[in-house]
Amino acid sequence: MEEFDEIRGLISRVVASNGKDARSVYDRYKAILTKYQEQPQLLDGCLEAIVQPLSVLLRQAAMRSTAQDTTSVQNVCRLLHVLITVRGYKTVVRFFPHEAADLERVLQVLGYVRDTQPSADSTGDSSSIALWEAQAVLMLWLSILVLMPFDLFILDSSVTSDASSQHAQRGFTPLAARIMALCQDYLKHPGAVREMAALLLARLLTRPDMAAALQDFLRWQQQALASTHGPAAVFLLPGVLQTLALIFKLGRREQLLPLAPKTWLQLAELLGDEGSTTPNTSVSRNTLARKLAMKLVQRVGLTLLPPQLAGWRYVRSAADLGRNLGVRSDCPDQCSTAVDHAPAKAEDISPQSPTVHEVPEQIEDLIGILLASCSDKDTVVRWSAAKGVARLAGCLPLELAEEVVDGALGLLSPSEPDTSWHGGCLAIAELAQRSILSPDRLESVTSL
């Protein structure tokens, strides 16, 4: 990063002024970092030196903020938001402070900033954008704080001995209820706040002590989707789908396995698969919702299947394509020796292969949805569906995996549109990358 000295000087200036100079340096700071948008990994060498001083300053600003003055928090959050946009939240959040004592205070400051939002929206100036960015950064910070290995009952100052019985009945603390209520409200807003709210909810609800809260959220999202119509549903649906997809990504299988069939039934209804001849309108017209639905479909499938990769997968034993394909009449002498590799045929499966478990009945419908979505009109949906096809096929017995490969090859029929051909190619590429496409199928693929 050739501008590192300049960036470090700007950050030192902001820290020395306790955040007051953040607005004056913002434009130059943003211009430097945006330059690395296409290759953000170039920032990794100096990322800690950039994020750590700003995160420490954010913590100090949060400790002294009041309901009437959150300016310092907003200013520092704007600088961090630029970095999150360029490099991604997964990398940046690793350098955030994560002390257990900060949880309640950060949630309180988030409430302060949220209460300021309506008045800022009415003015229509840049302060409204700064408030939305601040809320997104604060929720990202909370998503790290809720991972602490302590029962939230210990950290919730609002829980007293008189309220302990009520806590036992509900199964989660008032602090957790406040976080859930805030995030559920943010799910109907577009932009980064919805993404961070989904992440925060997923990390909170997949905690071992939040099983009751997870059930409460699942009931809420069904009621919310059923009662929300019009433009509001366009924003709420992706938020709910993203939260569910993250829950099935971050949660433990033993916790999610009882929930998977119900989630699939709801998802099939949203996608128009339950006795309906046409897809749900709010899903069919929403590209982001369809993409997130594909993520959820594959993660529900991976939850239902045993968590093991198939033992029949092809394993390359040499970097020579001719040797990997075995003996051929037109192959030179140095390629004429067949090599031993992982079995690619059913009769070759060794006794040491993992035990074949019974495949749940929902898997066929799940894969059918994914293969059909490989013909979607939008590339992001086709790509997500193709990844799901390969991931599920990698956990299936050989005979069923071969049927999945046949289904992907069926998308490459001359009568199929261009979108099907593109989705089929993506699916075959993902299958090959995961060693599911065996060498004896290469001839049928290349002939296309």
Side-chain angles (χ1 to χ4, degrees), residues 116-138:
T116 313
Q117 188 67 54
S119 59
D121 286 340
S122 61
T123 61
D125 56 10
S126 59
S127 62
S128 176
I129 300 176
L131 284 170
W132 285 117
E133 292 175 349
Q135 291 170 82
V137 173
L138 290 172

Side-chain angles (χ1 to χ4, degrees), residues 26-53:
Y26 175 78
D27 291 336
R28 178 56 185 163
Y29 172 88
K30 182 178 180 180
I32 293 174
L33 292 179
T34 306
K35 174 182 175 181
Y36 296 89
Q37 185 80 54
E38 294 185 359
Q39 292 183 303
Q41 68 276 8
L42 297 176
L43 297 173
D44 290 352
C46 51
L47 198 59
E48 184 176 1
I50 298 175
V51 179
Q52 195 169 22

Side-chain angles (χ1 to χ4, degrees), residues 112-172:
Y112 293 160
V113 177
R114 183 172 178 268
D115 293 339
T116 313
Q117 188 67 54
S119 59
D121 286 340
S122 61
T123 61
D125 56 10
S126 59
S127 62
S128 176
I129 300 176
L131 284 170
W132 285 117
E133 292 175 349
Q135 291 170 82
V137 173
L138 290 172
M139 280 191 287
L140 178 61
W141 188 6
L142 281 172
S143 72
I144 286 293
L145 295 176
V146 297
L147 294 178
M148 65 188 72
F150 305 110
D151 194 319
L152 293 180
F153 181 77
I154 301 175
L155 302 171
D156 192 348
S157 61
S158 63
V159 175
T160 61
S161 58
D162 297 334
S164 59
S165 58
Q166 182 181 1
H167 162 69
Q169 293 176 357
R170 296 187 63 184
F172 54 94

Side-chain angles (χ1 to χ4, degrees), residues 46-65:
C46 51
L47 198 59
E48 184 176 1
I50 298 175
V51 179
Q52 195 169 22
L54 291 176
S55 61
V56 171
L57 181 61
L58 174 60
R59 184 175 185 273
Q60 295 172 353
M63 292 303 121
R64 62 174 181 267
S65 292

